[in-house]
Structures are given as structure tokens and as C-alpha cells.
Amino acid sequence: MKYISTRGGMAPQAFTDILLEGLAPDGGLAVPETLPQISADTLESWRGLSYADLAFEVLSTFATDIPADDLRRLTHAAYREGVFSTADIVPLRPLDGGLQLLGLSEGPTLAFKDMAMQFLGQVFEYVLTQRGATLNILGATSGDTGSAAEYALRGKRGVSVFMLSPHGRMSAFQRAQMYSLQDENIHNIAVRGVFDEAQDIVKSLAGDLQFKTQYRLGAVNSINWARIAAQVVYYFHGWLRATTGRGQQVSFAVPSGNFGNILSGHIARSMGLPVRRLVLATNENNVLEEFFRTGIYRPRGAEHTYATSSPSMDISRASNFERFVFDLVGRDPQRIKALWADLARDGHFDLSSLKPAFESQYGFVAGTSTHDDRLSVIRTTHEATGVLIDPHTADGVKVAREHVEPGVPMLVLETALPAKFSETIEAALGKRVEPPAPLADLESLPQRVEVMDCDAQLVRRYIEAHAKV
């Protein structure tokens, strides 16, 4: 399998090449030339596989240039008990109202980002060792990507991580997870701004091809296709756990900020997984919900990107959205370039003429959730089931309830464990939730972080001083 750019300016490349590249040289995003198709017979043959073996089967359709024995070893190293707190890796638990919770937060940083990052940590080291190369990962995080990437890559040979985060806009637990790491190859940079501005710096520096080449910049944000591919696995896993019959449809509700998580569901559905609906849930930063409601994509500036109680979704410019629009416009790179030119000039683009296809062809529906909604959902879910969910997952549950259909299982994708957002949980339940015992003292540990203005040149100079070359 080869990969091309959404903007048409990249020669077809192999999986291990785009793994190290991140953003395509033309500013677009890597996508497969054609998506692999999974037949109903193949899907049925996967019932009963362990998560690691299922990951091998799914990822082998994308990473065709990695020998099968090596890829199997990598998936078994990534998805094992000891790294994850349960042998199931991703448990499925019932909720009230016909919903089920796909438990994606059993990894080392208690968030769904571990599902892809643990594989990336393994495959980065494998490819760099094979090539005798080094890589400097440059990323931005709204809360969970940073810690998941850093825990997966800490101490890995040939890799340094430079992770930008919005200063003062993550929970205390999220900050402690990242900033308490003392490994020499981990560099935390807190910029005075919002996540979108931090992400813009990443894209700006990655788009400077001379700088990118000289300092061997790579990416772990979901602009990296390997992140998307690894997340596709748990959609197949969820379907296999929730169904008993051949071809039975399932819906997935996904809390969404940067569009990477639900994009993986779109990819799984396009590969042939029987998905009825992809239910996109936003918080008060509802740019994506507005698009699926109106057909108009209108990102907001930093001053109109709200700080909410589901902070990992405080995003107004979703970097993965371009991959979905690429499919929506018939995989036409010229149309993509024109749309993003419209976006740069006018601050929006209009695809309302394609709105009927959002649900009928692609299965997308959307809704939004507020602070009061998530407090209510956390409280009522806990009272009804005894299950405690985090604020982002609560956004997903709230919107999922609006789209439940008889006979169609509705799986809500868990975002993180509630201990990462203790203030909001306390506001909902009137009591604190304690973190797992091994992390009880996390917030008291010394923290190492560089705080700077939101300026690409400042970040550039920091990387020049600390990068592996």
C-alpha cells in the first residue's frame, strides 16, 4: 500500500516513510491511495482474537512494508497486560439507556490516546533502528496527546519529543503527567495561547521544509497517519464485542475536538465495518457540530475558543478534518486546495450542497453538550449504573442518547478516566475522585517545563538548541 497527500503534491510513499514525515511536503495530510476492504468472512474470522492479534490483522493492511513477524511483535509489545491495566486492553461495559462504554482509558496515562501512542512508540523505535536515524517529534496537545506520546517515547532510542501545550488551560493532573517527566529526551513547552495557536506553530515549522529536513522533524499528533490507523483497530474490536450476528450494525458516539478519533471510525466504516452512525459530540466549541448541521466550516479565532470543563476538546480548527473533506469531495486534491484557499481568505468554506451525504453516505450525525449537560450526565450515569465517566465522555453520552435506535448497539468511546478531571467530578458529585494509587502523588512531583510566548520563532530556537541531529 502507498500513501498520497490530500493536496496532490506528494509522490506515493510507503507506510514507514509517512510515519517519519508527519505533515506532507505540500502541506496536506497523508492518506492511502485506496482503502483496504475487509470482507464479512474475514471480519467473522477475527472473532475471539486478542486485541494484539486484532491490531496485527488491521494494521497489516496499512503497514504493508513491515514484515509480518516484525509487525506482530510490535503489536504484542504495545498491547499487553502490564502496559494496560486489564488483559482485555479495551473492555466493553453497559451503561443506562441502551448505551455501552468502550473502555479506552486502561493505558499508562489513563486516556484513549494511549491506544495509538503505545503502537507509535514501538514502531518509531523499530523504523529508526532499521534506518540508523534519529527523529525529533514536534507536537501540540490540548491535554492527553502530550502525556500519551511522552510516556510512549520516553527513553526510546533516537527520538526526542518537543510537546507544545496551552499554558494554564489543562487540568492540574494533565499538566503533572507531562511536566513531571524528567527524561532527557522529553521537552515540554507551554505557550501563552490556546491549543489552535500551538497547533499552528507545529504546522508552520513542519511546513518549513529546510528546517524540517535539517532537524528531522516528525509528528505524533493525529496528522500522522499511523495514529489514525492504530485507532481504527478499536472500532473493529468494539464491533466484534458488541455483536453476535454477521453484518449487524453498530453506532459509535465519539467526543470530538481534533477529528482524529472519529475519523478513524470513518475509515473503519469505509473499510466495510457495519457502522450505522458515527455520532460526533462537541462541547461549547462546536465548529464541527455546526459543519454537520449546516455544511459550513467556520473555524474560530483564539478569542472565541472557550475554556471549558472538557478541555481536551477546546479546539476550533480540527487538523484531521481535511482528510474527511478529501473523501467528501471525491478525493479531488485540486478541490481541497481551493477550499483551504477559501478558508484562508474568507475564514470559512461552504459545502452545504453536499449536506445530504453527511448521514446518508457517511453516517455522520452531530450534537453539542454544555457544562451543565456534562455535570448532569456524570451524576445521572453514576447514580444509575455506578460507572463514573469523565467530562469528555459525558459529552459523548449526552449526544449519544439523542441518537439511540432500537436494535442498534450504541457504543460511546471513553476519552479518559475521571481522576484526570477531579474538579469537574467534584462539582458533579459533591466529592473528589482519587487517582489510581500509583499516581496518587503525581501532582506533588517536581515539574520541568519551558513557558514562552506563542511565537513560532521562539519554539524554533528552542528546538535548534535541544534537538537530536
Side-chain angles (χ1 to χ4, degrees):
M1 171 174 288
K2 297 290 186 180
Y3 293 82
I4 56 175
S5 169
T6 52
R7 301 191 189 182
M10 181 178 79
Q13 294 189 23
F15 178 86
T16 53
D17 293 324
I18 62 159
L19 171 76
L20 300 182
E21 284 296 318
L23 201 66
D26 61 359
L29 299 175
V31 292
E33 283 186 305
T34 58
L35 280 175
Q37 296 299 300
I38 306 302
S39 69
D41 287 343
T42 297
L43 190 54
E44 288 301 314
S45 75
W46 290 349
R47 288 195 187 274
L49 290 182
S50 70
Y51 194 90
D53 285 329
L54 178 63
F56 166 76
E57 296 292 347
V58 173
L59 290 169
S60 65
T61 69
F62 294 112
T64 55
D65 55 327
I66 298 179
D69 287 346
D70 290 347
L71 183 59
R72 191 183 298 277
R73 177 174 53 80
L74 295 174
T75 61
H76 277 259
Y79 303 114
R80 59 183 174 84
E81 195 172 8
V83 174
F84 290 82
S85 62
T86 170
D88 287 344
I89 309 298
V90 178
L92 187 63
R93 299 190 292 272
L95 294 176
D96 58 322
L99 307 182
Q100 299 178 67
L101 184 67
L102 195 62
L104 301 175
S105 302
E106 303 295 331
T109 70
L110 319 182
F112 86 93
K113 303 293 178 73
D114 289 321
M115 298 306 305
M117 289 301 183
Q118 285 300 313
F119 174 69
L120 258 65
Q122 298 293 332
V123 74
F124 271 134
E125 188 174 48
Y126 167 81
V127 172
L128 292 173
T129 300
Q130 292 272 316
R131 300 184 179 192
T134 59
L135 191 66
N136 292 294
I137 297 295
L138 175 61
T141 183
S142 58
D144 292 324
T145 292
S147 56
E150 291 176 357
Y151 275 69
L153 295 170
R154 60 188 304 193
K156 287 286 192 290
R157 289 172 300 191
V159 185
S160 285
V161 179
F162 296 84
M163 188 59 62
L164 278 60
S165 56
H167 182 53
R169 293 178 73 104
M170 300 188 301
S171 75
F173 191 94
Q174 287 175 311
R175 292 194 299 270
Q177 275 192 311
M178 291 174 59
Y179 303 161
S180 63
L181 293 180
Q182 303 296 324
D183 303 75
E184 290 185 4
N185 70 325
I186 302 298
H187 304 274
N188 282 300
I189 303 170
V191 296
R192 298 183 181 95
V194 300
F195 168 79
D196 291 320
E197 293 172 308
Q199 186 167 253
D200 286 345
I201 291 175
V202 171
K203 290 184 176 180
S204 171
L205 295 179
D208 182 337
L209 297 186
Q210 181 178 346
F211 182 73
K212 179 182 179 181
T213 301
Q214 181 178 356
Y215 289 94
R216 300 194 55 78
L217 295 187
V220 289
N221 279 71
S222 49
I223 60 174
N224 190 316
W225 174 261
R227 272 276 304 279
I228 303 301
Q231 291 174 174
V232 168
V233 177
Y234 54 69
Y235 283 89
F236 280 88
H237 173 83
W239 184 90
L240 289 164
R241 288 296 187 91
T243 64
T244 55
R246 184 186 182 96
Q248 183 180 353
Q249 287 193 319
V250 167
S251 291
F252 293 91
V254 190
S256 299
N258 217 18
F259 204 76
N261 197 359
I262 201 164
L263 177 75
S264 296
H266 164 67
I267 298 300
R269 188 177 189 271
S270 301
M271 292 169 68
L273 190 69
V275 176
R276 162 71 175 149
R277 280 177 170 169
L278 292 165
V279 181
L280 181 144
T282 69
N283 63 13
E284 293 89 339
N285 296 295
N286 65 327
V287 170
L288 292 172
E289 181 272 336
E290 181 181 59
F291 173 79
F292 284 102
R293 176 167 41 85
T294 68
I296 297 171
Y297 181 57
R298 194 189 310 272
R300 298 167 190 160
E303 68 279 9
H304 295 118
T305 301
Y306 309 115
T308 77
S309 52
S310 49
S312 298
M313 292 156 57
D314 291 348
I315 298 170
S316 288
R317 293 193 296 276
S319 64
N320 268 287
F321 190 55
E322 183 171 330
R323 284 183 169 123
F324 172 67
V325 176
F326 183 66
D327 285 347
L328 190 60
V329 299
R331 296 174 67 86
D332 180 351
Q334 299 308 314
R335 186 82 186 277
I336 289 293
K337 287 192 286 188
L339 287 171
W340 259 257
D342 290 346
L343 187 63
R345 184 185 64 247
D346 303 327
H348 71 280
F349 59 71
D350 187 342
L351 290 176
S352 56
S353 63
L354 300 179
K355 188 171 176 290
F358 296 171
E359 182 175 0
S360 64
Q361 185 173 347
Y362 297 102
F364 275 93
V365 294
T368 191
S369 174
T370 67
H371 176 71
D372 288 342
D373 289 330
R374 65 187 66 99
L375 293 187
S376 174
V377 168
I378 290 168
R379 183 171 55 254
T380 57
T381 300
H382 187 253
E383 289 171 351
T385 67
V387 176
L388 194 55
I389 57 176
D390 83 285
H392 310 79
T393 306
D395 290 334
V397 169
K398 186 265 182 182
V399 179
R401 287 173 174 168
E402 300 165 1
H403 296 283
V404 173
E405 298 175 284
V408 181
M410 175 69 77
L411 276 58
V412 180
L413 271 58
E414 184 181 48
T415 301
L417 291 193
K420 299 188 77 168
F421 307 95
S422 58
E423 290 184 5
T424 303
I425 301 302
E426 186 171 4
L429 302 182
K431 61 181 180 181
R432 286 183 58 83
V433 56
E434 298 301 327
L439 300 176
D441 298 325
L442 187 67
E443 293 181 34
S444 66
L445 295 177
Q447 297 187 10
R448 182 167 64 93
V449 59
E450 192 77 20
V451 180
M452 63 181 67
D453 288 338
C454 200
D455 184 328
Q457 295 309 311
L458 294 177
V459 176
R460 179 194 296 267
R461 288 199 288 270
Y462 186 88
I463 292 172
E464 290 170 346
H466 297 88
K468 287 182 183 289
V469 291

